[in-house]
């Protein structure tokens, strides 16, 4: 429920109410929603009580999330004033049609909202709510985390993105499959394997061991652990068990199976565990993770790997090995990119890529004892009993939803004898130095902006809980600045040819400001504030000082992001509710039109 309301507030630019009750007019339905405001966040992580319809008796029940989704969808599809306001926020261009939305960066091409997508949104909200209830119940009955700290962090994102209307929707995943495939339920499964004839195998590898190149097929054969009936010369390609059902009946796959160029080998090996992305799987102690194709619609996309993304992962690994990583880590030894140095895929009888059979092989740099968490999981409220050490009583509230971040800060405050707010401020400052500054350095020195949102960003904390480093992971999320093409090509000749990674500086600036600035850092500030760990205004001031020093201090960096965040009265922000209402898939089409962006007030601007 709160997710939907946060999205609507951000995407329609609603101001904070003066009386503690947010009123959302619903003219298309002839009513309004009245929402108690428990906390109003300068960065958008508001906390709300259950909403009620206006003009109903006080004893009437509150409105559930599915009903709210239906009411809001009706507002955006009927040409109501709120629909026109929503469209106007989406672009500075004039709006001439009801419920129209414009492309990013001021482009004037508009499209009408899709009524089918509106119905789809309501269904996905219902699916997300149903699954979340299951996740919460399971975590309250079985609260213990995995002993592998990395896996525990990957399974911690129980409630999902706080500004997505349906963060846990997974349409197509059956009740039988969900316990096996869901990280929130600590699922696991053996991989399914197919043998790929050399004539249709597509592959590349920059993986090396002791200086020797290791082919991708050799890596997957190792990861299978057990001997398989693999024909001579064939490669073993792993599949997510759900994906097998999806691809088996695709015409390209069926033709290859009929021709004997693909052979079903069945399930083999030990269990693998889904991570926070659901499709990337992990096994404790294995040298690699596997980023599998998965045709489920998760948040805004079907999660099937694209061939250009496979090229991109290997390309970035080679680029970093050209000397860039050594230079980077001379300044920031605690930060790196989790590499994606090898892949396998299948070409059809027509020579084109077969969808759904693309597999990325990812380095696993983590030991089970490494305390590394994706930021989204670290700040996500965990809906199961936790003893509250801040009260000194050690009691457990069965309805508590404390994040791991809250627990870490409470322990630090107890250990140091300092106020919680002071510890939180220091933790935040260390995070800026250990995680944010290295990302800015890469943009400044190499012209590479990372799509460093909270799920793609990993923070490494020491034994006390302080940030000491981090990692970025995602072979999709690189923006090579067009203005730096010559420099990057000099580092790695031919870069971008197959990976389609060069993006105009205008679009890069917009996306970098959203992913690192709004989603990551301002989202972290919102988590501190909404969980009563620190005053958001103080953290915003600290972030401003950090950005000013990066932009103009003695160690200033030539990245445009600090000035954009400091000087712009408004920022462009991804609108997940609108993106869903337009039925957009973020992995399809040009990067500058894959998502809907709206203009929001910049909380950093003074």
């Amino acid at each position: 429920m709160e997710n939907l309301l946060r999205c609507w507030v951000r995407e329609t630019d609603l101001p904070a109410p003066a009386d503690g009750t947010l009123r959302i007019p619903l003219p298309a339905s002839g009513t309004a929603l009245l929402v108690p405001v428990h906390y109003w966040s300068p960065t958008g992580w508001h906390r709300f009580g259950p909403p009620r319809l206006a003009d109903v008796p006080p004893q009437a029940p509150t409105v559930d999330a599915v009903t709210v989704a239906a009411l809001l969808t009706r507002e955006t599809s009927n040409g109501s004033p709120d629909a026109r306001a929503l469209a106007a926020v989406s672009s500075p261009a004039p709006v001439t049609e009801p419920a129209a939305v414009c492309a990013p960066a001021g482009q004037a091409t508009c499209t009408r909202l899709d009524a089918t997508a509106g119905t789809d949104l309501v269904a996905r909200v219902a699916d997300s709510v149903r699954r979340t209830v299951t996740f919460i119940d399971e975590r309250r009955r079985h609260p213990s985390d995995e002993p592998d700290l990395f896996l525990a962090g990957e399974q911690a994102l129980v409630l999902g993105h706080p500004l997505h209307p349906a963060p846990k929707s997974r349409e197509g995943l059956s009740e039988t499959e969900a316990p096996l495939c869901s990280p929130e339920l600590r699922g696991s499964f053996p991989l399914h394997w197919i043998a790929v004839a050399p004539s249709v195998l597509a592959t590349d590898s920059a993986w090396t061991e002791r200086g020797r190149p290791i082919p991708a097929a050799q890596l997957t054969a190792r990861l299978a652990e057990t001997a398989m009936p693999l024909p001579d010369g064939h490669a073993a390609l792993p599949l997510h068990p759900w994906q097998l059902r999806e691809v088996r009946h695709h015409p390209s796959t069926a033709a290859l199976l009929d021709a004997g160029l693909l052979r079903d080998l069945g399930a083999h090996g030990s269990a693998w565990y889904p991570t926070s992305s659901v499709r990337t799987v992990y096994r404790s102690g294995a040298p690699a993770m596997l980023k599998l194709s998965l045709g489920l619609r998760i948040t805004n996309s079907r999660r099937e790997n694209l061939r250009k993304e496979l090229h991109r992962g290997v390309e970035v690994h080679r680029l970093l090995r050209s000397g860039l990583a050594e230079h980077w880590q001379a300044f920031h030894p605690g930060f790196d990119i989790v590499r994606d140095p090898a892949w396998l895929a299948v070409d059809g009888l027509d020579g084109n890529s077969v969808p759904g059979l693309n597999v990325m092989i990812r380095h696993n740099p983590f030991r089970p004892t490494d305390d590394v968490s994706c930021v989204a999981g670290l700040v996500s409220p965990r809906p199961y009993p936790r003893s509250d050490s801040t009260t000194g009583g050690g009691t457990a509230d069965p309805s508590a939803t404390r994040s791991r971040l809250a627990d870490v800060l409470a322990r630090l405050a107890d250990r140091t004898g300092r106020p919680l707010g002071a510890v939180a401020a220091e933790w935040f400052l260390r995070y800026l130095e250990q995680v944010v500054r290295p990302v800015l350095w890469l943009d400044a020195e190499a012209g590479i902006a990372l799509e460093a949102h909270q799920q793609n960003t990993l923070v490494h904390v020491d034994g006390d809980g302080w940030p000491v480093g981090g990692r970025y992971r995602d072979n999709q999320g690189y923006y090579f600045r067009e203005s730096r093409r010559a420099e990057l090509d000099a580092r790695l000749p031919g870069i971008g040819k197959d990976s389609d990674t060069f993006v105009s500086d205008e679009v890069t600036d917009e996306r970098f400001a959203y992913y690192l600035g709004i989603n990551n850092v301002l989202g972290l500030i919102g988590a501190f504030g909404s969980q009563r760990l620190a005053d958001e205004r103080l953290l915003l001031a600290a972030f401003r000082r950090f950005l000013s020093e990066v932009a103009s201090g003695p160690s200033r960096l030539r990245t445009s992001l600090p000035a954009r965040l400091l000087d712009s009265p408004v920022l462009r922000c991804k609108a997940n509710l609108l993106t869903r209402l337009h039925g957009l898939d973020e992995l399809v089409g040009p990067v500058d039109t894959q998502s809907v962006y709206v203009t929001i007030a910049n909380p950093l601007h003074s």
Side-chain angles (χ1 to χ4, degrees):
M1 174 67 77
E2 286 184 298
N3 286 31
L4 274 169
L5 296 172
R6 290 187 198 110
C7 288
W8 188 261
V9 167
R10 172 174 281 182
E11 297 175 30
T12 59
D13 196 26
L14 290 181
D19 61 358
T21 299
L22 178 69
R23 183 180 179 88
I24 299 178
L26 301 172
S29 299
T31 186
L33 282 177
L34 303 179
V35 187
V37 177
H38 296 326
Y39 174 79
W40 191 267
S41 167
T43 58
W45 199 326
H46 315 298
R47 298 304 311 273
F48 299 113
R52 295 180 178 275
L53 290 173
D55 305 319
V56 299
Q59 66 271 22
T62 56
V63 186
D64 62 37
V66 178
T67 302
V68 169
L71 290 168
L72 298 182
T73 297
R74 188 176 185 188
E75 295 304 310
T76 60
S77 58
N78 285 345
S80 69
D82 279 315
R84 292 190 292 273
L86 192 61
V89 172
S90 304
S91 171
V95 177
T96 57
E97 293 192 50
V101 65
C102 297
Q107 299 173 24
T109 302
C110 298
T111 58
R112 185 183 294 272
L113 285 175
D114 185 346
T116 302
T119 303
D120 175 72
L121 171 67
V122 175
R124 294 186 68 182
V125 168
D127 184 60
S128 183
V129 168
R130 179 176 59 82
R131 294 187 189 277
T132 302
V133 169
T134 300
F135 299 158
I136 291 172
D137 178 66
E138 174 65 20
R139 287 301 176 107
R140 286 181 173 158
R141 289 191 293 112
H142 303 288
S144 297
D145 286 328
E146 291 287 340
D148 184 313
L149 296 180
F150 173 74
L151 182 57
E154 289 297 300
Q155 295 175 337
L157 189 54
V158 177
L159 300 185
H161 190 329
L163 279 151
H164 193 284
K168 294 299 175 180
S169 174
R170 290 163 198 169
E171 291 177 346
L173 194 64
S174 72
E175 296 302 313
T176 303
E177 294 162 331
L180 304 176
C181 301
S182 301
E184 302 88 351
L185 299 176
R186 302 189 180 96
S188 65
F189 46 81
L191 298 175
H192 203 95
W193 296 83
I194 59 173
V196 183
S199 61
V200 293
L201 177 68
T203 184
D204 191 13
S205 177
W207 188 295
T208 59
E209 295 176 0
R210 298 184 179 88
R212 295 187 306 108
I214 306 296
Q218 185 175 330
L219 292 169
T220 57
R222 281 189 209 163
L223 294 171
E225 295 182 304
T226 59
M228 294 183 290
L230 190 65
D232 288 345
H234 284 53
L237 187 146
L239 276 179
H240 191 289
W242 187 94
Q243 186 71 0
L244 176 69
R245 184 187 70 187
E246 177 83 357
V247 301
R248 180 175 277 153
H249 303 296
H250 190 280
S252 298
T253 310
L256 293 173
L257 288 167
D258 290 343
L261 297 172
L262 294 181
R263 301 190 189 184
D264 188 344
L265 301 177
H268 291 274
S270 302
W272 290 75
Y273 291 81
T275 60
S276 59
S277 70
V278 184
R279 61 167 164 168
T280 300
V281 296
Y282 167 88
R283 190 177 70 214
S284 185
M289 294 178 251
L290 293 167
K291 188 173 184 179
L292 307 170
S293 287
L294 189 61
L296 290 171
R297 289 195 302 165
I298 300 171
T299 59
N300 294 338
S301 305
R302 282 172 55 91
R303 300 294 168 170
E304 291 187 330
N305 295 325
L306 303 178
R307 186 69 63 87
K308 66 181 180 181
E309 296 164 358
L310 306 182
H311 287 295
R312 191 176 298 157
V314 176
E315 183 177 75
V316 168
H317 180 60
R318 288 182 170 131
L319 178 66
L320 291 167
R321 285 199 319 194
S322 71
L324 178 59
E326 184 178 354
H327 186 202
W328 190 13
Q329 288 171 3
F331 290 91
H332 301 289
F335 197 89
D336 198 0
I337 288 174
V338 179
R339 313 297 179 82
D340 296 304
W343 57 268
L344 298 97
V346 176
D347 289 333
L349 296 176
D350 58 2
N352 293 321
S353 175
V354 176
L357 296 180
N358 296 324
V359 178
M360 176 62 74
I361 304 173
R362 172 171 290 173
H363 271 158
N364 175 18
F366 307 118
R367 298 167 299 181
T369 55
D370 290 337
D371 199 345
V372 178
S373 297
C374 73
V375 177
L378 185 70
V379 304
S380 178
R382 297 174 300 176
Y384 47 89
R386 287 288 175 183
S387 61
D388 189 349
S389 60
T390 62
T391 66
T395 58
D397 177 358
S399 64
T401 54
R402 285 174 60 83
S403 67
R404 181 166 182 247
L405 177 64
D407 286 345
V408 166
L409 295 176
R411 286 196 301 270
L412 281 168
D414 285 347
R415 185 177 299 121
T416 61
R418 297 164 58 197
L420 180 63
V423 169
E426 182 178 346
W427 198 99
F428 176 69
L429 290 172
R430 293 194 189 199
Y431 178 85
L432 293 178
E433 290 297 330
Q434 296 295 327
V435 177
V436 178
R437 189 184 290 271
V439 177
L440 294 173
W441 186 97
L442 189 63
D443 181 44
E445 295 299 319
I448 301 173
L450 302 178
E451 201 168 275
H453 57 66
Q454 288 193 356
Q455 189 166 308
N456 281 351
T457 304
L458 306 174
V459 59
H460 183 195
V461 300
D462 64 16
D464 292 328
W466 296 111
V468 292
R471 296 286 190 277
Y472 171 77
R473 48 100 184 270
D474 186 21
N475 62 315
Q476 295 171 342
Y478 297 98
Y479 296 81
F480 295 171
R481 289 185 178 273
E482 185 62 47
S483 63
R484 310 289 288 275
R485 182 185 286 268
E487 297 171 51
L488 287 165
D489 191 72
R491 288 185 180 274
L492 188 67
I495 189 171
K497 177 177 179 293
D498 296 316
S499 67
D500 189 26
T501 310
F502 281 97
V503 181
S504 72
D505 282 38
E506 180 184 20
V507 173
T508 298
D509 286 341
E510 177 183 270
R511 302 308 163 89
F512 200 28
Y514 168 69
Y515 285 112
L516 181 63
I518 297 173
N519 182 299
N520 191 320
V521 182
L522 294 185
L524 179 59
I525 291 173
F528 276 106
S530 66
Q531 296 174 33
R532 313 290 181 167
L533 303 174
D535 186 330
E536 289 193 48
R537 295 168 298 177
L538 296 178
L539 298 185
L540 285 168
F543 190 29
R544 280 194 291 268
R545 287 193 298 271
F546 169 81
L547 292 169
S548 297
E549 190 273 330
V550 170
S552 59
S555 57
R556 63 184 176 272
L557 299 173
R558 60 167 182 155
T559 170
S560 56
L561 183 61
R564 187 182 189 94
L565 292 176
L566 288 169
D567 300 338
S568 300
V570 295
L571 295 171
R572 298 283 287 171
C573 176
K574 188 163 78 169
N576 286 308
L577 178 58
L578 270 176
T579 297
R580 288 276 31 87
L581 284 171
H582 282 77
L584 297 178
D585 187 319
E586 291 184 320
L587 303 183
V588 176
V591 69
D592 57 341
T593 57
Q594 289 170 346
S595 311
V596 177
Y597 272 62
V598 297
T599 301
I600 65 170
N602 180 5
L604 289 166
H605 189 257
S606 55

